[in-house]
Amino acid sequence: GGGEWWCEGVRSVGGEVYLLKEAEVLKLTLDPWTDTVDGLVEAGEWLSALSVCLKHYESAVLARESGKRPVLGRSVSHTIECHPFLSPPKPTQEEEQLAAYLLRYLDLAVENAPPAESSSSHFRMIAGVVIEFCAVTKRLDLLYGPVFSAFLDAGQAHTFVDLLEPFVVTDRLRYISPMAMNSFVEHCKLVGDLKKVERCLLHMDVKILDFDSVLRLLRAEKLYTALLHIYNSGLDDFVTPLQMLFEDVFDGAERSQDVGRFMRFAAE
């Protein structure tokens, strides 16, 4: 029928699409994706603009780059040198354009933040947007570079690291830079929830962690689940964490006995 004939009369040449009808030929020109984004930005529709950026990345950039850039949700490397943050592939021109839009949004959002006493929800919204963007586009260098620096400068590092947790425990991010990790640990200490650090460590690529500082923290805070996980998965060591666990158990038992003896002596 006519509809079927119409479909067979579609032809794409370069950036133009030709539609062959019974009495005429229609020519459609495809506008660059940046025109759509720029139009939304000019209208102040930044979230819609960033949404278009992500759709373009997933439909165009990711299709071309698949196989070239590691996927964040999987263990891609067991060496620091090959890690996507510490040694990232050179971004393509399109990826640089995507990053430029995100950083423009971030600068504008930070500059127009409300007064400090009412800025918490504003920065949480910003953090959610930028972390999502970087997780989708696999730009760890961007996330822990200029993005994290912007939150540090604004005195909102705690907001940023707090919003990292949902992405880590769902395996969308498997790496936290040392500086961000320090802020994360300090924040969790402040709110009295170091279990949050342990939950995240169970989902991270432990082979590239700063072992010394992390292991000291875990033993001091008696976070044994993460301690065993890091020794087993990161160092292939199954003996040392058990020795530590038994030492702490025996030390605790000895202290309990000492306290019991002291209490009996005091009662006498």
Side-chain angles (χ1 to χ4, degrees):
E4 182 179 340
W5 181 85
W6 174 299
C7 293
E8 292 177 351
V10 178
R11 183 67 180 273
S12 175
V13 179
E16 298 176 338
V17 176
Y18 294 89
L19 304 178
L20 178 62
K21 300 181 68 175
E22 291 185 358
E24 60 183 334
V25 176
L26 302 179
K27 182 175 77 171
L28 304 179
T29 301
L30 302 178
D31 292 331
W33 65 275
T34 51
D35 286 359
T36 302
V37 176
D38 289 337
L40 291 169
V41 168
E42 187 174 348
E45 300 290 338
W46 269 103
L47 295 183
S48 296
L50 294 178
S51 178
V52 171
C53 288
L54 291 182
K55 288 178 180 177
H56 173 72
Y57 176 83
E58 292 174 332
S59 63
V61 179
L62 187 59
R64 292 194 301 269
E65 294 297 316
S66 58
K68 296 181 181 180
R69 186 184 295 277
V71 178
L72 286 181
R74 303 171 185 168
S75 181
V76 297
S77 169
H78 295 314
T79 62
I80 290 179
E81 292 76 11
C82 297
H83 194 271
F85 170 65
L86 299 172
S87 183
K90 181 176 175 59
T92 65
Q93 183 177 355
E94 281 179 298
E95 288 173 319
E96 292 289 21
Q97 286 179 304
L98 292 167
Y101 282 120
L102 180 69
L103 295 179
R104 282 177 59 191
Y105 161 75
L106 179 59
D107 290 342
L108 188 65
V110 171
E111 288 173 3
N112 291 275
E117 61 273 10
S118 58
S119 64
S120 177
S121 59
H122 177 78
F123 277 98
R124 287 187 69 84
M125 183 272 293
I126 299 172
V129 170
V130 297
I131 295 173
E132 172 74 21
F133 194 98
C134 292
V136 171
T137 58
K138 304 171 180 59
R139 290 297 302 273
L140 292 180
D141 56 322
L142 193 66
L143 180 64
Y144 298 122
V147 170
F148 182 51
S149 293
F151 280 85
L152 276 174
D153 294 342
Q156 291 290 331
H158 62 284
T159 302
F160 177 88
V161 296
D162 194 45
L163 267 291
L164 286 177
E165 185 200 7
F167 291 86
V168 175
V169 297
T170 55
D171 297 326
R172 298 189 63 198
L173 290 173
R174 299 201 62 197
Y175 177 75
I176 299 179
S177 71
M179 185 177 295
M181 177 60 81
N182 288 338
S183 295
F184 185 44
V185 170
E186 291 304 316
H187 169 66
C188 291
K189 281 184 177 179
L190 187 63
V191 300
D193 189 12
L194 279 169
K195 283 289 185 181
K196 184 179 292 188
V197 177
E198 185 172 49
R199 287 194 295 272
C200 287
L201 288 171
L202 294 176
H203 290 266
M204 291 170 59
D205 188 349
V206 299
K207 290 185 178 291
I208 53 171
L209 290 176
D210 179 359
F211 286 109
D212 290 339
S213 60
V214 171
L215 292 175
R216 279 198 302 270
L217 167 72
L218 295 178
R219 188 171 189 187
E221 300 299 332
K222 302 187 185 308
L223 301 175
Y224 294 113
T225 301
L227 187 72
L228 289 167
H229 173 68
I230 290 176
Y231 266 104
N232 295 348
S233 301
L235 299 173
D236 293 323
D237 184 348
F238 298 85
V239 177
T240 303
L242 291 177
Q243 291 176 333
M244 291 181 175
L245 178 58
F246 289 141
E247 287 175 5
D248 289 347
V249 170
F250 294 147
D251 287 346
E254 288 178 2
R255 284 194 295 271
S256 296
Q257 292 175 358
D258 290 342
V259 170
R261 286 194 292 267
F262 173 79
M263 294 299 291
R264 287 194 299 271
F265 176 78
E268 295 173 357

